[in-house]
Amino acid sequence: MEQIDFTVAIPTYNGGSRLREILDRLRSQINGESLCWEISIVDNNSQDNTAKLVREYQANWPDAYPLKYCFESQQGLAFARQKAIDEARGELVGFLDDDNLPDSNWVWAAYCFGKAHPKAGAYGGQIYGEFEVEPPPGFERIQSFLAIKQRGYQPHLYDPERLSLPAGAGLVVRKQAWVESVPRRLARTTRGGNDFEISIHMHDAGWEIWYNPEMKIAHKIPKSRLEKEYLMSLSRTVGLCVCELRTLHAKPGQKPIIFAKIMLGSLRRSLRHFLRYRDRVRTDVVAACEMEFFLSSFASPLYYLKNSLGSRSLK
């Protein structure tokens, strides 16, 4: 079997209307001829024309970098990503969402970084927002909730201990690191913490987690994702993940200390935020989302305990 250097994996659910643009971007990658790479579409039980669209592209797709299709019936981003890993033939696997548009050299930049940093288990790059409508004032304060991140122009290590980690959009993983350290059943099976959990498992197994500024993608953000109701729900989801992520590999005796630190720190940030914005917390969308995140982070130990007790009662 031919050795594959790099696999681009695209998990998608009902992505028929979005896949054309990303596939066109991948077909136009520069330096692609220097690599042996492949593209894998993971259809996560779509009910639209995703399969038909991929077949249409396959009919006229270059043989140099095959376009593959696979199906994952179990709903959830974590299951689709695991399927992608199982199917990938590349030593490096780069995940793109179906609303991500990679720069023309994204594959090459991702591959070169992985070869230059053999201890990197996972790494992400710069993610810019491509907005359908203008985001609200101050949006940069919460843009990371929508996987929009720029961390400068120099590569550096992330700090998993502080939950400083790359987003799942544009995340590149070393298949060996995933197989050795990431459980097949993650605690977080949907969006909201799933991205971070992958990197935390790798970090705790001894792999490095990096930022590579040469990898650039645009994340398309529709109008619906900038509405207050959606942003508040997203902020709540991100906040409620905090405790579960911080205790992922904690020993039982360490957990009460982690709970206390999370609750005290979140309470302090909530009070400071209220004193700064006061009535604007109700009228300013970004300030409201920040408060929702702080309060949800404060509640995350209770949310974690409730879910833990519930899962035990089902056994």
Side-chain angles (χ1 to χ4, degrees), residues 25 54 87 104 136 229 233 266:
R25 289 289 186 101
V54 175
E87 296 289 330
S104 59
E229 184 178 356
S233 175
S266 299

mmCIF file of all heavy atoms in Angstrom, residues 25 54 87 104 136 229 233 266:
data_model
loop_
_atom_site.group_PDB
_atom_site.id
_atom_site.type_symbol
_atom_site.label_atom_id
_atom_site.label_comp_id
_atom_site.label_asym_id
_atom_site.label_seq_id
_atom_site.Cartn_x
_atom_site.Cartn_y
_atom_site.Cartn_z
ATOM 1 N N ARG A 25 -11.169 24.722 -2.714
ATOM 2 C CA ARG A 25 -9.942 25.243 -2.096
ATOM 3 C C ARG A 25 -8.874 24.148 -2.011
ATOM 4 O O ARG A 25 -7.694 24.394 -2.262
ATOM 5 C CB ARG A 25 -10.246 25.763 -0.698
ATOM 6 C CG ARG A 25 -11.050 27.039 -0.642
ATOM 7 C CD ARG A 25 -10.247 28.253 -1.107
ATOM 8 N NE ARG A 25 -10.978 29.488 -0.918
ATOM 9 C CZ ARG A 25 -10.776 30.338 0.081
ATOM 10 N NH1 ARG A 25 -9.848 30.076 0.997
ATOM 11 N NH2 ARG A 25 -11.475 31.450 0.172
ATOM 12 N N VAL A 54 -20.385 14.411 -3.205
ATOM 13 C CA VAL A 54 -19.026 13.861 -3.169
ATOM 14 C C VAL A 54 -18.780 12.956 -4.376
ATOM 15 O O VAL A 54 -17.714 12.996 -5.000
ATOM 16 C CB VAL A 54 -18.771 13.107 -1.853
ATOM 17 C CG1 VAL A 54 -17.385 12.436 -1.871
ATOM 18 C CG2 VAL A 54 -18.863 14.058 -0.655
ATOM 19 N N GLU A 87 -9.959 5.622 9.315
ATOM 20 C CA GLU A 87 -9.848 5.512 7.865
ATOM 21 C C GLU A 87 -8.583 6.161 7.308
ATOM 22 O O GLU A 87 -8.166 5.858 6.190
ATOM 23 C CB GLU A 87 -11.076 6.154 7.204
ATOM 24 C CG GLU A 87 -12.397 5.476 7.517
ATOM 25 C CD GLU A 87 -12.525 4.123 6.838
ATOM 26 O OE1 GLU A 87 -11.943 3.926 5.755
ATOM 27 O OE2 GLU A 87 -13.216 3.245 7.405
ATOM 28 N N SER A 104 -4.256 28.657 0.478
ATOM 29 C CA SER A 104 -3.767 27.828 -0.625
ATOM 30 C C SER A 104 -2.574 26.958 -0.254
ATOM 31 O O SER A 104 -2.289 25.976 -0.933
ATOM 32 C CB SER A 104 -3.407 28.707 -1.816
ATOM 33 O OG SER A 104 -2.406 29.645 -1.458
ATOM 34 N N PRO A 136 -21.158 42.017 16.553
ATOM 35 C CA PRO A 136 -21.422 43.112 17.497
ATOM 36 C C PRO A 136 -20.127 43.742 18.003
ATOM 37 O O PRO A 136 -19.067 43.103 17.970
ATOM 38 C CB PRO A 136 -22.187 42.411 18.631
ATOM 39 C CG PRO A 136 -21.798 40.980 18.533
ATOM 40 C CD PRO A 136 -21.586 40.717 17.078
ATOM 41 N N GLU A 229 -29.304 34.875 21.074
ATOM 42 C CA GLU A 229 -29.739 33.595 21.634
ATOM 43 C C GLU A 229 -28.695 32.500 21.383
ATOM 44 O O GLU A 229 -28.371 31.712 22.276
ATOM 45 C CB GLU A 229 -31.085 33.187 21.043
ATOM 46 C CG GLU A 229 -31.658 31.910 21.644
ATOM 47 C CD GLU A 229 -33.025 31.564 21.066
ATOM 48 O OE1 GLU A 229 -33.555 32.343 20.256
ATOM 49 O OE2 GLU A 229 -33.556 30.502 21.442
ATOM 50 N N SER A 233 -26.251 30.708 24.288
ATOM 51 C CA SER A 233 -26.251 29.249 24.438
ATOM 52 C C SER A 233 -24.840 28.690 24.293
ATOM 53 O O SER A 233 -24.420 27.805 25.047
ATOM 54 C CB SER A 233 -27.181 28.630 23.403
ATOM 55 O OG SER A 233 -27.125 27.216 23.449
ATOM 56 N N SER A 266 -14.236 31.760 39.243
ATOM 57 C CA SER A 266 -15.359 32.194 38.402
ATOM 58 C C SER A 266 -16.216 33.234 39.111
ATOM 59 O O SER A 266 -16.701 34.185 38.489
ATOM 60 C CB SER A 266 -16.216 30.990 38.011
ATOM 61 O OG SER A 266 -15.467 30.058 37.272
#
